[in-house]
Amino acid sequence: MLIFPSIQIRNGRSVFAVRGEPGTERFYPTDPVLLARLWRHENAKALHIVDHDAIVSGRPSNLDALRAIVRAEDVKIPIQVCGGIRTFEHARALLEDVGVSRIVLTT
């Protein structure tokens, strides 16, 4: 069994939103890179990242946070991202420029 811990990001910060609904967010005091490190320390084999800003804007939005997670030396596991990936260019930017391992395309 492969479990994908999830980190939700809004405005570059770690957040929890009930069913992803705007207005239900609770921000965590921990930045997304630290959460990725914590999950890796717990032996996570991959991470799932939700870009909440991208869901609303229709384009990848938290690229700095995503790059920081991908480049963190003590994380180095596959990162998959979802949210706002609506064009081939968005997908290519995440895979090639940011360096994520997988993207999730949704409705």
Side-chain angles (χ1 to χ4, degrees), residues 3-76:
I3 297 171
F4 283 78
S6 179
I7 299 172
Q8 300 177 50
I9 302 174
R10 178 166 287 154
N11 296 325
R13 295 175 54 199
S14 304
V15 65
F16 172 76
V18 178
R19 286 175 286 203
E21 294 292 326
T24 64
E25 303 92 349
R26 286 184 285 169
F27 286 93
Y28 292 102
T30 307
D31 77 79
V33 177
L34 181 55
L35 279 179
R37 287 180 175 130
L38 290 170
W39 279 121
R40 183 63 189 117
H41 181 72
E42 292 296 325
N43 205 26
K45 304 296 185 201
L47 288 174
H48 176 80
I49 310 291
V50 180
D51 185 343
H52 280 272
D53 296 311
I55 293 168
V56 175
S57 71
R59 64 183 187 284
S61 301
N62 287 290
L63 298 178
D64 289 339
L66 291 170
R67 277 189 195 94
I69 291 169
V70 168
R71 293 177 181 167
E73 287 297 320
D74 48 352
V75 176
K76 295 299 179 196

Side-chain angles (χ1 to χ4, degrees), residues 92-106:
R92 183 174 25 180
L94 287 165
L95 292 165
E96 294 177 4
D97 299 338
V98 176
V100 301
S101 301
R102 299 178 188 105
I103 55 171
V104 178
L105 303 175
T106 63

